[in-house]
């Protein structure tokens, strides 16, 4: 089954404790992206990756890091989480060859609470 | 900065009535997508529009993109409880040679009452 998986689904942590949210897709998609969703603000793009070893900033990259060492995986790293990073996070992937007209496939979301 | 303005922010509609959601951009949209989300869950792809004047329908949902490709609307006919949820428009920001950035509108919460 074609899917995007995220782990963990729920996470409670404390300020400053490094964490990683994993994202994996099995569709051989070149493009992957991370979003955060907050009430009243919709989804905002954090980082995206056009291919292995190619990443770029979205609209809200501060406080986050990403890496793309393999095509299928795109982890989101919070080196020193702060309470304002409490949010619902979504990973998505998309086929690059025909970017316009191709929808993104979204993971189920990771709900993060930073105390 | 938020480049996609979505309205209304929320909508309460009686079952059987129609509703319309709008999504407006100050820039040309190269691909406009509509998604539906149940609160706290993942996004479900509804439709994608690319060409100016394009209109697509699926079951009771119709989406249109204006000729200038700066405004889209999502129309639901004879709403049902299954139509309740958050509707989001999203778009590729940038031309085909610099695509990658993607933005969403803030969403419209739809409540369908008996």
């Amino acid at each position: 089954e074609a899917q995007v998986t995220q782990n963990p689904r729920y996470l409670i942590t404390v300020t400053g404790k490094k964490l990683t949210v994993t994202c994996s897709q099995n569709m051989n998609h070149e493009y992957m992206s991370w979003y955060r969703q907050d009430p009243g603000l919709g989804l905002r793009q954090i980082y995206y990756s056009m291919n292995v070893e190619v990443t770029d900033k979205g609209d809200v990259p501060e406080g986050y890091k990403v890496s793309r060492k393999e095509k299928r995986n795109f982890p989101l790293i919070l080196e020193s989480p702060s309470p304002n990073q409490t949010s619902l996070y979504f990973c998505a992937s998309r086929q690059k060859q025909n970017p316009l007209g191709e929808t993104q496939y979204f993971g189920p979301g990771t709900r993060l609470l930073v105390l | 900065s938020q480049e996609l303005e979505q309205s209304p922010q929320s909508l309460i509609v009686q079952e059987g009535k129609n509703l319309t959601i709008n999504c407006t951009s100050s820039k040309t949209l190269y691909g406009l997508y509509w998604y539906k989300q149940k609160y706290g869950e993942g996004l479900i792809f509804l439709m994608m529009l690319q060409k100016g004047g394009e209109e697509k329908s699926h079951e009771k949902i119709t989406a249109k993109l204006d000729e200038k490709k700066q405004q889209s609307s999502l129309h639901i006919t004879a709403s049902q409880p299954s139509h309740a949820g958050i509707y989001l428009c999203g778009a590729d920001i940038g031309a085909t040679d610099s695509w990658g950035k993607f933005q969403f509108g803030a969403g419209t919460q739809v409540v369908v009452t008996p």
Side-chain angles (χ1 to χ4, degrees):
Chain A
E1 179 189 353
Q3 61 182 354
V4 178
T5 57
Q6 294 179 229
N7 283 293
R9 293 290 313 280
Y10 303 91
L11 181 59
I12 301 174
T13 189
V14 296
T15 299
K17 186 176 181 182
K18 181 180 178 180
L19 67 91
T20 299
V21 184
T22 64
C23 173
S24 182
Q25 50 94 5
N26 63 0
M27 295 168 279
N28 203 36
H29 285 168
E30 294 185 351
Y31 176 93
M32 296 185 76
S33 184
W34 275 103
Y35 300 88
R36 61 177 289 174
Q37 185 175 30
D38 304 287
L41 296 175
L43 281 92
R44 292 176 292 167
Q45 191 177 43
I46 303 171
Y47 270 96
Y48 62 95
S49 170
M50 304 287 261
N51 212 327
V52 175
E53 303 291 1
V54 181
T55 62
D56 211 342
K57 296 177 181 179
D59 286 333
V60 288
E62 297 78 18
Y64 303 94
K65 284 175 58 176
V66 292
S67 69
R68 188 89 183 275
K69 294 186 171 63
E70 306 168 276
K71 200 171 187 180
R72 64 182 290 128
N73 296 323
F74 190 43
L76 179 70
I77 303 156
L78 284 72
E79 295 268 1
S80 183
S82 62
N84 64 13
Q85 292 178 298
T86 292
S87 188
L88 178 58
Y89 291 87
F90 288 99
C91 179
S93 73
R94 186 184 194 185
Q95 186 57 267
K96 181 188 173 184
Q97 268 63 29
N98 180 19
L100 299 182
E102 288 289 329
T103 183
Q104 294 180 74
Y105 293 82
F106 285 84
T110 294
R111 192 171 289 280
L112 172 65
L113 172 61
V114 183
L115 300 172
Chain B
S1 62
Q2 185 67 271
E3 297 188 20
L4 286 178
E5 295 290 331
Q6 196 173 332
S7 64
Q9 191 173 18
S10 63
L11 199 49
I12 300 174
V13 62
Q14 191 174 24
E15 186 174 350
K17 300 294 186 184
N18 303 336
L19 67 96
T20 300
I21 301 167
N22 294 302
C23 182
T24 304
S25 173
S26 58
K27 300 181 181 179
T28 300
L29 299 168
Y30 292 95
L32 190 287
Y33 301 77
W34 284 100
Y35 295 89
K36 181 187 174 187
Q37 182 185 28
K38 290 281 178 74
Y39 182 76
E41 298 181 8
L43 277 71
I44 301 167
F45 171 68
L46 296 175
M47 270 172 271
M48 185 279 299
L49 303 163
Q50 270 183 267
K51 301 173 185 173
E54 189 174 9
E55 179 175 323
K56 288 186 178 178
S57 293
H58 178 68
E59 297 181 342
K60 295 188 177 182
I61 301 176
T62 301
K64 301 178 185 179
L65 183 63
D66 74 340
E67 289 289 344
K68 289 186 177 179
K69 299 202 296 182
Q70 287 185 281
Q71 184 168 1
S72 178
S73 62
L74 186 81
H75 183 79
I76 298 176
T77 304
S79 58
Q80 300 170 348
S82 61
H83 290 129
I86 300 170
Y87 290 81
L88 293 148
C89 63
D92 290 292
I93 303 297
T96 53
D97 60 345
S98 63
W99 77 282
K101 281 200 168 183
F102 197 90
Q103 285 195 349
F104 283 91
T108 297
Q109 178 147 19
V110 172
V111 174
V112 180
T113 62

